[in-house]
Every structure is written in structure tokens, then in C-alpha cells.
């Protein structure tokens, strides 16, 4: 009876012409309500079915609806097969919708996923089958299907990816285009070449099963390289790396093949701050230009082949060096600015989110936080001298960078972190166990896998700039981990909220530990620290850590104020090519330039000191409580339960001379002169 009723309704619908929904672009807004950009209706080039290569038509039918010419618009066999495969996989791996159902959805229906919408889809499917021939339905579908990057229909898609008409595509190109119909977000070769090739292989396999091609022909097509024409200037808009990522998120979470995003009139409210984004672009551009060899142009760099997707679709490699910048509000995780490379036109690979690189010494604060949580204090001393450690049965003898391999004297943990002493850091890691430091890093926000070797404290496991910014946020906000957040909400054209994200904040670190680490890292941005070159360029309370990898291949600086955390990475896309600059020289100036502009006009607030901390005067040489005879002293911060009780055993009864303890002159001598330059890494 239900089938009969549906047929009767369908015959009634066949007497009228349903009105397709009006398609309008979506608009993206920053956190202040400023419009960032919009998606106009994508490229749509109408062509006749006869103007589409038969091999492309066959590829789409094979992968989307193999029984297209055999069913009346709804295919129970396909639905049952999809149900079985999904149950076996334990997730949705195949849909049962026919090409006619997809056309009905794309032409007439709003994006809401409701029972009423599904019922309407069934009636409209029957309407289309009664109103049009199979070839007419296929033609309309192939002219409407979304294929990514604003391209609707196979003609626009063929030109976008291959620079040719849909009538001229080869078998391997047709299979790739057909594979995109399932989800351009996942399978666009401009975003993920490996996924595109894997999907192409699936389509070729389906064409073999459907009897369209032989297995030998499919095997030959699967070996063909994809020759892309490149995106060119497409989608070059404000904050392109940020918007590109948000578009991917919306596509992933809302689905609908991109039809809704590009023509559904969405309002996408984001966490971006356009004033900060503009400041980031200015600082990043100036910093990278200063590091670029004179006369370097596209194709003269060392290449982007080290990163899957970097420079995909371009005939020439992007200019080197490249880099990334991420700025996060530590109070709520809002991503305020993001740069994934020096030119979105050259390469759409987002290094801020997807490039994993060794952070060098910028990773050390996680181990020092672990030490403070394990009973160590900022005044604990370890001697910087030749030491050999055994890690996984292999001897390991760390040295410092610079003119001298060792300091040959005790260093407090404060001094060791400020001058970035490798030897003391590895010694500390050997006492704690590298697993302890890895656990702290993961707890604070590092998501990449970490290798628990002693060298981990020197940043030998790869992480992303986004992870580093997020993991430093607990130092800025009193020990709370914040999950990076890009989207506030998404509303449809009627104002109905489709998505809503809220800050995810969790206390993961003792606030006192966070404050002590911050107090130490404030001194990195001073004449005593490895970022001393920017000491006069940041005019508000701030802290941070430099990072340089072996042979100065990559340069990092991760720094923060109470209001903003920013990580900057600079390096070549080819990991083996040295940058030749330290984190302090290459990345720190970009960070300082950005922070001063981004926070201009905002109150210069300091870091809040939590309860449970006490200050004591200690001897600079021993780290013990100072006696009147200690020649050089300073004040140190301790957790109340970890205040040292031992007084300095080294000095006699001479009166105290040197610093008053409220500034960090640990190198002061009796005459008040600083000690000779202390070698250390960045």
C-alpha cells in the first residue's frame, strides 16, 4: 500500500515541476563579526551527456550506482549490500543512495537530516524517474555533482584538475574524478595525493567488477601519474590557510558533499581575529623575506617533496625557506591567527597544522615542568660536564652548541633552561626518565607520537606548530590545557544553528609549576637568555623558548603573554637542508614583531602568581640558601613544600655582595660584572 501511495503521489508530482532551492554562497566571520570571505556559487559549466567521455560516465556509475540503468530510482539490493558492509566494518563505509536520489537531494532539498527530508527525497526520486529518462537524469547529476574547490559538475572538475574538457579525460583521470564524488574533502589530490590515488584505485576496481574495463587496463591506469594543472589563483582569499582548514572542518562535519557549504547560504562564525591575522601576515612576510637568499624565486628552493601534499599540482617548487605561525588565546583555545606557508598561491600545504618537525630545545620546558612536579626546584643544580648515558643499550654523550661543549660547573635548573644547556637537560631527563617528560608533554597538548629516548628532551620527536602553541598555553593560563578551536558556530540561511563548538578547558598542571616555568622563560627574553636579541622589542610581560635542531635545520620560537600564545617555525620543506640560523635569530624576531602588533593597545598585564609559592635568597653558585658570605645571590621562587633547608656550604663569612634578588643577575660577581659569555644552545 505504501508503494502504491508513493507511485500515486509521484504521478501527481510529475504533473508539476518542483522548484529547485535557491543556491547562495556562505559567509565566514571572524570573532568580532567582521566578514572574512565568502563562497560564491562555484564554477558550474553545463554540458550535454554526449560531451562527457564515456569512460567518465562509466566510472561514476560503477562507483556510485552500478545498477543505475536497472532500478526505478530506489535500489533495495544496493541498500541491503551497503547495510551488510557497514555492519561488517563497524562504521559507515558505503551508502545505499542511488544517483537519482542524490540528484533529488542536490536539486530540491534543504540540508537538514530529518525523517521528513528523507521522505521528500523518496518522492522526488520517483518524480525524477517518471519525468526524465535515465540518460537525462545522469546528465543532470554529472552537471551538478560537487568535485571540490568550488567546482560543480564534471566539466568544471575536469578543467580544475586537468585543464581539459570532460570529453577528453583519460581512464586514470576519469577514475580520479569519479572518486571525488564520495567526498572532495578527503580525496582531492590538491589536499591529499595519497588518498586521491588510493580512491582512484578503488574506482578502477569497481569498473572491473561492473564489466566496463579489463583488469589489465585497470592495472595500467593505476600506474599513471596524476598530471595536475594546479589551483593557480583559485580560492586566494583573506586568511587562506585558516579559511581552508575551517572549510574542511565544515565539510567533514556537515557532509552533503560540499553543496551546502558552497551554495547553502551558511554563516560560519570563527575564532579568527582579522586584526591579529593581518599582524601575523606582516610579521611573517617580513621575517621570511629577510631569510630568503637574494634572487630566490619559485622553483629555486629545495622543494616541498618532504611533505605529502606540499606544492601538489605545481610545476615548480615553492620558494624556500618556508614556515608557519599559530596564535592561540590561552584562556579558551581560540585560534586567533594562522599562517601555513609564505604563499597559499604557491602551496596549499598547511605547515601550521600538518607539518611535523623536530622542535629542538623548545621542547625542554615540558621536562622542566615534570621535574618541578617531581620534587626538583628551580635552584636544583646539575653539573655541565662530559657525561655518557646509556639509552636502549647505546652510549649517548650530549654536548652543547657553540664554542664550548661544556660549562664545567654546576648550573641551577633555572640557568640551564635560560641558556638552554643540553647536558644538564639530558642529565635531568635521565633522572626523571624520558617517559615522564613525554607524559607531561602529552598531557599539556602534544598529540603527535613521542619517542621516549633521552634525546627527547632536546626535541628529537616531530610535532606541529599548532601542537606547540597549544601545549605552551598551560604555562600562560595557570596550568589549564585548552583544545585548539577554530569554529564558534555555523548557522543556515534561516538562522538555525547547525554546529556549535565550546571551549574545552581542563586543569592538567599545578598552577605553581606553570608560574615557575613561566618565570624562568621570561628570562629567555632577556640579555641573559637565548632570545636576548628581542629583549628590547617586546614591551610587555612575556615568556618563551627558542628551539634549534641539529645543524640549524629548523628554527622555532614559542612564546606567550597572559593573553596570547604564539609559535613560529621556520625551515626548508626538505628536512635535510639546513636553515643556518638559530631559533633566536630566525623565529624569535617574527614572534616579537607579531606580538607587539597583535597586542597593541591592550593592557600590559602580568602573569598571576598563585598561592603556595615563597621566595628565598639563594647562592648563585650552589643553589642553596644564601649565607652572609655568599658573593653572588638572588631570590628564587619555590613551592612552599619544596623550600631548600641546606645553607651554602662553599663560602666563608664575607658580607653578601651582588644582586638584591629581585632581578636575575645570577652571573654577577663581587664587582657586579656579569660572568663571561656562557655557551649554550638555543
Amino acid at each position: 500500500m505504501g508503494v502504491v501511495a508513493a507511485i500515486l503521489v509521484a504521478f501527481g508530482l510529475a504533473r508539476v515541476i518542483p522548484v529547485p532551492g535557491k543556491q547562495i554562497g556562505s559567509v565566514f566571520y571572524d570573532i568580532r563579526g567582521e566578514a572574512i570571505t565568502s563562497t560564491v556559487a562555484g564554477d558550474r559549466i553545463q554540458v550535454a551527456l554526449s560531451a562527457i567521455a564515456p569512460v567518465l560516465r562509466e566510472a561514476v556509475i560503477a562507483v556510485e550506482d552500478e545498477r543505475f540503468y536497472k532500478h526505478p530510482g530506489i535500489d533495495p539490493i544496493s541498500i541491503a549490500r551497503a547495510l551488510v558492509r557497514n555492519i561488517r566494518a563497524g562504521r559507515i563505509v558505503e551508502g545505499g543512495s542511488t544517483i537519482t536520489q542524490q540528484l533529488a537531494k542536490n536539486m530540491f532539498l534543504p540540508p537538514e537530516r530529518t525523517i521528513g527530508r528523507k521522505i521528500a527525497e523518496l518522492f522526488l526520486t520517483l518524480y525524477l524517474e517518471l519525468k526524465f529518462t535515465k540518460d537525462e537524469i545522469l546528465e543532470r547529476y554529472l552537471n551538478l555533482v560537487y568535485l571540490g574547490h568550488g567546482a560543480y559538475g564534471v566539466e568544471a572538475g575536469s578543467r580544475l584538475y586537468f585543464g581539459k574538457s570532460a570529453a577528453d579525460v583519460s581512464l586514470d583521470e576519469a577514475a580520479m574524478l569519479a572518486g571525488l564524488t564520495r567526498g572532495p574533502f578527503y580525496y582531492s589530490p590538491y589536499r591529499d595525493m595519497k588518498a586521491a590515488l588510493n580512491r582512484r584505485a578503488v574506482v578502477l576496481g569497481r569498473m572491473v567488477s561492473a564489466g566496463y574495463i579489463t583488469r589489465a587496463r585497470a592495472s595500467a591506469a593505476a600506474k599513471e601519474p596524476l598530471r595536475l594543472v594546479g589551483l593557480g589563483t583559485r580560492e586566494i582569499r583573506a586568511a587562506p590557510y585558516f579559511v581552508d582548514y575551517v572549510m574542511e572542518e565544515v565539510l567533514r562535519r556537515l557532509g552533503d558533499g560540499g553543496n551546502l557549504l558552497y551554495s547553502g547560504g551558511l554563516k560560519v562564525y570563527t575564532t579568527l581575529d582579522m586584526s591579529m591575522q593581518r599582524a601575523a601576515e606582516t610579521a611573517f612576510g617580513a621575517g621570511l623575506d629577510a631569510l630568503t637568499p637574494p634572487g630566490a624565486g619559485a622553483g629555486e628552493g629545495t622543494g616541498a617533496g618532504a611533505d605529502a601534499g606540499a606544492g601538489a599540482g605545481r610545476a615548480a617548487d615553492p620558494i624556500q625557506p618556508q614556515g608557519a605561525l599559530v596564535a592561540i588565546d590561552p584562556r579558551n583555545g581560540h585560534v586567533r591567527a594562522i599562517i601555513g606557508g609564505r604563499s597559499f598561491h604557491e602551496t596549499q600545504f598547511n605547515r601550521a597544522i600538518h607539518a611535523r618537525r623536530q622542535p629542538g630545545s623548545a621542547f625542554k620546558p615540558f621536562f622542566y615542568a615534570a621535574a618541578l612536579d617531581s620534587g626538583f626546584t628551580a635552584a636544583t643544580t646539575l653539573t655541565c660536564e662530559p657525561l655518557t648515558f646509556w639509552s636502549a643499550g647505546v652510549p649517548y654523550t650530549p654536548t652543547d652548541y657553540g664554542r664550548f661543549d661544556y660549562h664545567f660547573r654546576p648550573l641551577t635548573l633555572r640557568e640551564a633552561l635560560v641558556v638552554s644547556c643540553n647536558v644538564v637537560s639530558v642529565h635531568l631527563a635521565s633522572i626523571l626518565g624520558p617517559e615522564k617528560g613525554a607524559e607531561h608533554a602529552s598531557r599539556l597538548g602534544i598529540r603527535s607520537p613521542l619517542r621516549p629516548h633521552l634525546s627527547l628532551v632536546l626535541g628529537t620527536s616531530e610535532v606541529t606548530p599548532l601542537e606547540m602553541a597549544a601545549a605552551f598555553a598551560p604555562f600562560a593560563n595557570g596550568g589549564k590545557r585548552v583544545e585548539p578551536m577554530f569554529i564558534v558556530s555555523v548557522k543556515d540561511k534561516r538562522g538555525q544553528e547547525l554546529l556549535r563548538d565550546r571551549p574545552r578547558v581542563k586543569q592538567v598542571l599545578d598552577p605553581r609549576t606553570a608560574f615557575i616555568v613561566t618565570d624562568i622563560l621570561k628570562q629567555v627574553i632577556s640579555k641573559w637568555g637565548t632570545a636576548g636579541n628581542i629583549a628590547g622589542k617586546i614591551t610587555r610581560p612575556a615568556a618563551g623558548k627558542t628551539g634549534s635542531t641539529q645543524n640549524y635545520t629548523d628554527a622555532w620560537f614559542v612564546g606567550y603573554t597572559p593573553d596570547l600564545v604564539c609559535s613560529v617555525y621556520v625551515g626548508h620543506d626538505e628536512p635535510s637542508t639546513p636553515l643556518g640560523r638559530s631559533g633566536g635569530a630566525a623565529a624569535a624576531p617574527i614572534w616579537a614583531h607579531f606580538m607587539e602588533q597583535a597586542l597593541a593597545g591592550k593592557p600590559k598585564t602580568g602573569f598571576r602568581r598563585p598561592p603556595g609559592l615563597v621566595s628565598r635568597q639563594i647562592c648563585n653558585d650552589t643553589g642553596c640558601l644564601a649565607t652572609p658570605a655568599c658573593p653572588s645571590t638572588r631570590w628564587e621562587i619555590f613551592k612552599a613544600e619544596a623550600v631548600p633547608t641546606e645553607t651554602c656550604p662553599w663560602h666563608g663569612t664575607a658580607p653578601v655582595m651582588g644582586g638584591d634578588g629581585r632581578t636575575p643577575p645570577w652571573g654577577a660577581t663581587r664587582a657586579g660584572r656579569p660572568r663571561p659569555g656562557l655557551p649554550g644552545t638555543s
Side-chain angles (χ1 to χ4, degrees):
M1 290 178 62
V3 172
V4 171
I7 293 174
L8 291 175
V9 172
F11 269 109
L13 288 173
R15 297 171 181 271
V16 298
I17 300 177
V19 179
K22 183 180 179 182
Q23 296 178 328
I24 55 177
S26 300
V27 181
F28 295 78
Y29 298 92
D30 83 342
I31 196 67
R32 304 179 189 280
E34 177 182 340
I36 305 170
T37 188
S38 65
T39 62
V40 297
D43 293 343
R44 195 188 304 274
I45 305 171
Q46 192 85 13
V47 294
L49 187 64
S50 59
I52 300 172
V55 71
L56 179 52
R57 304 198 303 256
E58 293 166 353
V60 171
I61 292 173
V63 76
E64 287 296 314
D65 188 1
E66 183 181 333
R67 288 170 36 82
F68 173 67
Y69 284 103
K70 300 177 181 178
H71 60 66
I74 300 169
D75 188 4
I77 295 176
S78 177
I79 294 172
R81 181 176 61 244
L83 181 62
V84 171
R85 289 178 177 174
N86 293 336
I87 291 174
R88 287 176 177 174
R91 58 189 177 89
I92 303 297
V93 295
E94 182 177 329
S97 294
T98 65
I99 285 177
T100 313
Q101 285 177 273
Q102 294 179 53
L103 179 62
K105 177 181 63 176
N106 291 339
M107 284 185 67
F108 304 114
L109 297 174
E112 294 84 355
R113 297 179 178 180
T114 62
I115 296 296
R117 179 182 182 276
K118 195 65 178 177
I119 293 173
E121 178 188 305
L122 295 177
F123 283 129
L124 287 167
T125 296
L126 294 173
Y127 157 78
L128 290 174
E129 288 281 342
L130 291 168
K131 189 76 173 179
F132 303 106
T133 67
K134 285 288 188 178
D135 282 351
E136 288 173 333
I137 291 172
L138 181 61
E139 178 181 303
R140 282 166 172 76
Y141 174 78
L142 292 175
N143 279 294
L144 280 174
V145 65
Y146 180 62
L147 296 177
H149 308 283
Y152 282 86
V154 294
E155 180 67 19
S158 297
R159 297 185 186 188
L160 167 70
Y161 293 102
F162 305 116
K164 61 176 67 173
S165 170
D168 301 323
V169 295
S170 60
L171 172 59
D172 62 289
E173 293 167 341
M176 195 222 79
L177 289 173
L180 291 169
T181 59
R182 174 62 58 86
F185 161 67
Y186 298 105
Y187 302 120
S188 167
Y190 290 130
R191 300 189 192 281
D192 191 333
M193 178 63 76
K194 183 178 179 180
L197 293 174
N198 289 340
R199 180 63 177 164
R200 182 181 69 173
V202 170
V203 175
L204 291 169
R206 296 282 183 87
M207 294 181 74
V208 172
S209 299
Y212 288 122
I213 60 175
T214 64
R215 190 166 300 279
R217 193 178 173 198
S219 177
K223 296 176 182 177
E224 287 291 327
L226 284 179
R227 300 175 180 87
L228 305 174
V229 295
L231 284 176
T233 58
R234 296 176 62 88
E235 296 191 333
I236 305 302
R237 49 171 63 93
Y241 289 101
F242 181 92
V243 172
D244 193 58
Y245 181 78
V246 169
M247 290 174 67
E248 290 181 352
E249 278 292 290
V250 174
L251 283 168
R252 180 180 65 82
R253 296 170 66 179
L254 291 185
D256 208 40
N259 194 60
L260 176 60
L261 177 63
Y262 275 93
S263 55
L266 301 182
K267 294 184 183 298
V268 183
Y269 298 94
T270 75
T271 63
L272 189 75
D273 186 318
M274 275 305 297
S275 64
M276 290 189 180
Q277 179 67 26
R278 286 187 278 265
E281 291 167 357
T282 299
F284 190 80
L288 266 289
D289 287 346
L291 297 169
T292 304
E300 296 182 13
T302 58
D307 293 305
R314 286 187 47 80
D317 291 330
I319 299 172
Q320 302 295 325
Q322 285 287 333
L325 180 151
V326 180
I328 293 179
D329 188 328
R331 296 164 294 191
N332 50 29
H334 285 191
V335 176
R336 298 300 190 203
I338 198 165
I339 295 176
R342 65 193 303 161
S343 172
F344 191 81
H345 170 68
E346 286 187 351
T347 166
Q348 292 79 49
F349 180 68
N350 193 334
R351 294 159 184 81
I353 297 175
H354 301 302
R356 285 187 168 88
R357 289 289 184 270
Q358 293 183 358
S361 294
F363 203 82
K364 289 175 180 174
F366 305 132
F367 274 81
Y368 282 72
L372 293 172
D373 280 345
S374 301
F376 288 77
T377 75
T380 301
T381 60
L382 292 173
T383 302
C384 178
E385 60 187 359
L387 292 171
T388 297
F389 304 92
W390 289 86
S391 181
V394 178
Y396 176 46
T397 305
T399 60
D400 279 332
Y401 289 128
R403 291 183 301 152
F404 305 101
D405 288 340
Y406 305 99
H407 292 82
F408 291 104
R409 65 176 180 85
L411 276 69
T412 64
L413 294 193
R414 175 182 290 271
E415 184 179 4
L417 186 54
V418 171
V419 302
S420 206
C421 176
N422 284 350
V423 180
V424 167
S425 297
V426 174
H427 192 180
L428 182 65
S430 73
I431 298 172
L432 294 172
E435 296 82 4
K436 185 75 171 180
E439 186 275 330
H440 263 65
S442 298
R443 190 198 311 171
L444 268 60
I446 298 297
R447 295 290 175 260
S448 294
L450 300 174
R451 296 181 291 274
H453 303 154
L454 285 178
S455 61
L456 177 62
V457 70
L458 305 183
T460 54
S461 284
E462 296 77 12
V463 295
T464 68
L466 177 64
E467 288 177 297
M468 288 297 286
F472 266 63
F475 298 140
N477 64 22
K480 301 179 182 67
R481 184 182 67 220
V482 293
E483 299 296 334
M485 181 174 159
F486 292 79
I487 299 170
V488 176
S489 70
V490 178
K491 296 181 180 179
D492 65 17
K493 59 187 177 184
R494 294 187 298 275
Q496 179 180 346
E497 194 166 76
L498 305 178
L499 287 179
R500 162 67 67 173
D501 284 347
R502 291 177 173 80
R504 288 176 289 171
V505 182
K506 181 179 180 180
Q507 190 76 41
V508 295
L509 190 67
D510 186 335
R512 299 173 301 170
T513 297
F515 185 84
I516 294 172
V517 170
T518 293
D519 194 66
I520 297 173
L521 296 184
K522 286 167 64 176
Q523 294 175 342
V524 172
I525 313 173
S526 73
K527 65 181 181 180
W528 298 283
T530 54
N533 59 312
I534 63 168
K537 298 178 181 179
I538 187 78
T539 60
R540 61 181 62 236
K545 185 68 186 77
T546 54
S548 303
T549 56
Q550 191 74 23
N551 299 323
Y552 296 106
T553 299
D554 298 312
W556 291 75
F557 189 83
V558 188
Y560 55 95
T561 69
D563 307 307
L564 196 64
V565 182
C566 175
S567 69
V568 176
Y569 154 74
V570 180
H572 289 263
D573 284 331
E574 174 52 55
S576 63
T577 303
L579 179 67
R581 303 286 185 90
S582 68
I590 297 173
W591 177 87
H593 186 183
F594 164 69
M595 295 293 281
E596 278 297 284
Q597 287 192 22
L599 297 174
K602 299 185 184 298
K604 298 181 179 181
T605 57
F607 297 97
R608 188 181 67 84
R609 177 168 173 153
L613 294 174
V614 297
S615 298
R616 292 290 186 270
Q617 196 172 21
I618 66 168
C619 173
N620 275 328
D621 293 321
T622 64
C624 298
L625 295 175
T627 69
C630 293
S632 176
T633 65
R634 63 179 170 83
W635 288 85
E636 185 54 88
I637 304 171
F638 300 92
K639 295 179 181 179
E641 69 274 15
V643 176
T645 57
E646 183 183 2
T647 56
C648 176
W650 282 15
H651 300 104
T653 57
V656 173
M657 298 180 66
D660 63 3
R662 302 193 183 277
T663 56
W666 59 74
T669 66
R670 288 180 183 272
R673 298 188 303 273
R675 287 176 177 171
L678 301 176
T681 72
S682 60

